[in-house]
Amino acid sequence: MKLPFERVVAQHGATVLRVCRVLLGPHDAEDAWSEAFLAALRAYPDLPETANVQAWLVTIAHRKAIDVLRAAKRGPLPVEEVPDSATGLGTPDAGDPDLWAAVRHLPDKQRQAVAYHYVAGLTHAEIAGILGGTADAARRAAADGIKNLRKSYPGAHAKGAPR
């Protein structure tokens, strides 16, 4: 017979909080702990009676900690001084609208492979993990994309397109 959820929290709460503190530090640990137990509360009725409850809770806490870390990476970074005007940095069309138009017209896989490799700096193996397929297929898609850009973008040779 499964314990009432309140007893599960009392029995395993301290362990889960320690795991969260190790993964996140003291500031974000309590939020992750709360999120973990909210998720566990929703899933607890479907948990088999034979399950290792502590391992199950630690797994949930681990996933919530990953969510917190990912959210922190997407958040704004503090700066000493806020710029007076918006920047076009990282905005397609800001520097060379003809180039971005040519990139937009590439087939999806080629456009993605070119962006992930030449803009984000990912390896072909990492691109394959995102797009599916092999590293060789990702390399071929990126190479075909660059080849097509050289054909369709008039400034490809003058502006230093990757060779």
Side-chain angles (χ1 to χ4, degrees), residues 51-157:
N52 180 336
V53 177
Q54 182 169 323
W56 176 70
L57 289 169
V58 167
T59 300
I60 294 171
H62 168 77
R63 291 182 180 140
K64 293 301 176 182
I66 289 171
D67 291 347
V68 168
L69 292 171
R70 285 181 181 153
K73 285 183 180 179
R74 289 188 304 263
L77 296 175
V79 294
E80 286 187 35
E81 194 173 306
V82 178
D84 290 336
S85 62
T87 179
L89 184 63
T91 305
D93 296 340
D96 189 345
D98 294 335
L99 172 61
W100 292 108
V103 170
R104 262 195 310 278
H105 287 94
L106 289 174
D108 288 344
K109 287 252 181 171
Q110 290 178 16
R111 185 178 65 251
Q112 292 165 338
V114 166
Y116 295 153
H117 186 67
Y118 292 101
V119 177
L122 299 181
T123 66
H124 294 108
E126 292 167 326
I127 295 167
I130 295 169
L131 299 179
T134 65
D136 288 337
R139 182 179 295 106
R140 180 80 263 150
D144 288 347
I146 293 298
K147 180 180 175 184
N148 285 332
L149 283 174
R150 286 189 182 123
K151 289 179 186 174
S152 64
Y153 173 58
H157 299 291

